[in-house]
Amino acid sequence: MAPRDTTVDGLILDYLLHTCISALLTEWDYRQIVPVKVENRGSSYPLSGSSKRDSTAQLEAMKKADRSLLMVNSFLQTYQQLHPTGYYSLDRNVRFRLLLCRFVTLFLRRIDPISSFARKPQTTILRCRKQRSARLNKYLKRRGTTHVFPNDALYGQFILSSTLQHAIPGSKHIRYATQRFGPAPENEDRFDGEEEEEGPVIGHISHASFVPPNPTICGSARLADCLPLFMLVSAWSSSILLGAPASTLWMQVAGSLMAHAFIEDYLCHGIAPFQAFQECFAWGVMPLGGSDDEETIEEDTIEEVVINEMFGAEKGNVTKEWEEVKKVLMNELIPPEGSQLSLEQHLVGKVLQTEENDDDTVRTGSFRSFEKDMVEGLIMAMANALEKPVLAQLEEGKLAGLEVEEVKKVLERAGATRWTS
């Protein structure tokens, strides 16, 4: 059977992705205004004096985001069956929008729309974790080191602080996790468990990370799982949309993402601190092409090449600035030399104070501020940089390159005159 033409399916997919991203961002925007009151989570979320109309609008926004996610996931499953070659034949802008939609969904709902929602955990999430581990090994090997720290002194201080054992009251972990994820369902608090493969069970609290209190569609991905997609989306944006290396603003947001991903992995998911730190901070310029003394020359992927270019592989100033950003963050995350605090004590104390006071004097910033910078500073800018999908333009009675009357005629011939009213 001849391959099915991707033109029409690409137009539909582009429209669905655009709608899904918009719905998720609208839902996020409503959540900044008023939390929803729900009773099915074993806890009640107050409406903070907001009107019933606002809460109803927020619930509608959540339902719309759910519907959009279901439509995207369903269409992507069908698309992969109809087009064995995958997404490579799609228009460049559609491929970028697909990457952006995956990142936004992972970041806001902790689920990947490209993989079946029925699988727990999703196959793409597991693949992403293997890729992070493989990248770490290659990153260290190519840079000729055994760790991601800028110097041995900081490395030694991290190891020392992470081996100190000080009991942290469970109430502090609960406070931190509640600020991040919302109250846990009754009888499901956990303090020492590893993440299980069958559901969103995490180190100190059983609750899908950083999602609305009662969505029907959310997953159990970790914040660290967003890192590879974030870097890829950023690299694409840097090379295709902007044609420039990473900016200082981007470095600040990217650094905060790595820092918060490490904190979450360690304090909430029970990941070993050294492993979590290594995987979260293994991003930066990496020598490509292997070396002469390697027995096997590892082939560089196109993703590694474009990410290297984003960090300004040929421009030393960009690389130096990025390494300095990482160094400042590491110094904040690790207890100072001579301190008797354990790494866990240091992080819980610093993060709780930062979260409760919304303190932005530290570079990591509060999680709320980081989220706001990520969504409003980067995600929305990337989404707006792309031209609206053809079907979205036609829905508004417009089409780039055509006059309004010409668009009306096109729609009339297609039997869609109601769109032009």
Side-chain angles (χ1 to χ4, degrees):
M1 184 175 67
R4 174 169 166 153
D5 181 39
T6 61
T7 304
V8 174
D9 290 341
L11 290 174
I12 297 172
L13 177 60
D14 197 25
Y15 174 78
L16 292 177
L17 293 171
H18 169 77
T19 303
C20 185
I21 293 171
S22 298
L24 288 168
L25 294 180
T26 299
E27 176 201 29
W28 175 85
D29 196 45
Y30 270 111
R31 281 195 281 122
Q32 310 315 300
I33 302 172
V34 50
V36 178
K37 183 176 182 180
V38 294
E39 306 294 344
N40 64 339
R41 283 284 193 175
S43 59
S44 179
Y45 289 66
L47 291 176
S48 303
S50 297
S51 66
K52 184 177 181 180
R53 181 180 60 186
D54 288 338
S55 62
T56 301
Q58 185 183 7
L59 285 170
E60 285 302 315
M62 292 168 61
K63 291 177 182 178
K64 183 177 179 180
D66 283 344
R67 290 194 299 269
S68 296
L69 275 173
L70 282 173
M71 291 177 69
V72 166
N73 181 253
S74 176
F75 191 83
L76 285 171
Q77 304 303 308
T78 303
Y79 186 93
Q80 292 179 77
Q81 294 177 358
L82 295 175
H83 306 285
T85 56
Y87 308 109
Y88 296 104
S89 57
L90 288 170
D91 177 78
R92 185 176 66 182
N93 284 350
V94 183
R95 295 201 305 273
F96 175 74
R97 212 185 306 268
L98 175 58
L99 286 175
L100 183 59
C101 183
R102 290 182 64 194
F103 169 67
V104 172
T105 309
L106 264 178
F107 185 68
L108 297 180
R109 289 292 192 93
R110 301 302 177 94
I111 198 167
D112 190 350
I114 205 172
S115 187
S116 171
F117 286 167
R119 284 180 169 270
K120 294 183 178 181
Q122 293 181 293
T123 53
T124 51
I125 300 299
L126 296 178
R127 194 180 308 128
C128 180
R129 290 173 186 173
K130 290 179 180 178
Q131 289 172 349
R132 280 197 292 123
S133 179
R135 177 186 168 82
L136 171 62
N137 292 333
K138 184 182 285 190
Y139 180 85
L140 297 176
K141 187 177 182 180
R142 294 284 180 86
R143 291 175 66 128
T145 183
T146 58
H147 57 76
V148 298
F149 299 89
N151 53 60
D152 289 338
L154 202 57
Y155 168 57
Q157 183 61 23
F158 179 89
I159 296 299
L160 177 63
S161 64
S162 63
T163 55
L164 292 175
Q165 298 296 324
H166 293 109
I168 302 295
S171 59
K172 287 193 175 182
H173 282 301
I174 288 293
R175 281 167 58 204
Y176 167 68
T178 300
Q179 289 166 348
R180 292 290 294 274
F181 312 133
E186 289 181 351
N187 304 320
E188 290 193 20
D189 294 348
R190 291 177 180 265
F191 293 89
D192 55 359
E194 292 287 342
E195 182 180 10
E196 298 177 359
E197 289 193 347
E198 294 301 322
V201 179
I202 54 184
H204 301 301
I205 194 166
S206 176
H207 200 285
S209 305
F210 193 38
V211 293
N214 63 339
T216 56
I217 302 173
C218 61
S220 57
R222 307 197 298 260
L223 188 60
D225 296 329
C226 301
L227 272 167
L229 268 175
F230 171 75
M231 294 297 176
L232 192 54
V233 168
S234 299
W236 187 299
S237 176
S238 174
S239 61
I240 303 300
L241 298 181
L242 302 177
S247 67
T248 300
L249 171 62
W250 180 89
M251 292 181 195
Q252 299 299 332
V253 177
S256 292
L257 173 59
M258 295 191 303
H260 283 288
F262 159 66
I263 293 170
E264 181 187 302
D265 266 5
Y266 177 41
L267 294 184
C268 294
H269 297 281
I271 308 298
F274 185 66
Q275 174 192 347
F277 201 93
Q278 292 269 85
E279 290 190 354
C280 289
F281 278 86
W283 296 98
V285 170
M286 178 177 67
L288 301 179
S291 59
D292 296 336
D293 58 350
E294 289 182 5
E295 294 181 3
T296 303
I297 302 299
E298 297 176 278
E299 185 177 350
D300 299 316
T301 65
I302 185 62
E303 288 84 0
E304 290 169 341
V305 173
V306 296
I307 288 174
N308 244 28
E309 290 299 318
M310 175 183 64
F311 286 117
E314 304 301 327
K315 301 175 183 178
N317 290 338
V318 176
T319 302
K320 290 178 182 178
E321 185 178 356
W322 173 242
E323 294 300 324
E324 185 60 29
V325 167
K326 290 200 296 182
K327 184 177 179 180
V328 170
L329 286 167
M330 290 180 187
N331 275 299
E332 284 190 0
L333 294 171
I334 302 172
E337 187 176 359
S339 171
Q340 297 302 310
L341 292 175
S342 68
L343 178 64
E344 187 178 19
Q345 280 181 313
H346 176 74
L347 289 176
V348 169
K350 178 182 286 293
V351 170
L352 279 179
Q353 181 181 4
T354 305
E355 296 290 341
E356 291 174 351
N357 300 330
D358 204 14
D359 182 8
D360 290 324
T361 58
V362 292
R363 294 287 285 274
T364 50
S366 70
F367 198 62
R368 290 185 294 272
S369 295
F370 156 65
E371 171 197 14
K372 184 180 178 69
D373 290 342
M374 175 66 78
V375 174
E376 295 184 349
L378 291 183
I379 292 176
M380 288 185 177
M382 290 178 182
N384 293 332
L386 287 173
E387 188 175 57
K388 280 190 177 181
V390 170
L391 296 182
Q393 293 183 51
L394 289 174
E395 192 174 35
E396 298 174 353
K398 305 173 185 177
L399 188 59
L402 294 181
E403 298 292 335
V404 175
E405 290 303 318
E406 293 177 299
V407 174
K408 286 184 177 181
K409 291 178 181 178
V410 170
L411 292 174
E412 286 172 0
R413 287 199 297 268
T417 52
R418 63 186 179 85
W419 285 4
T420 65
S421 58

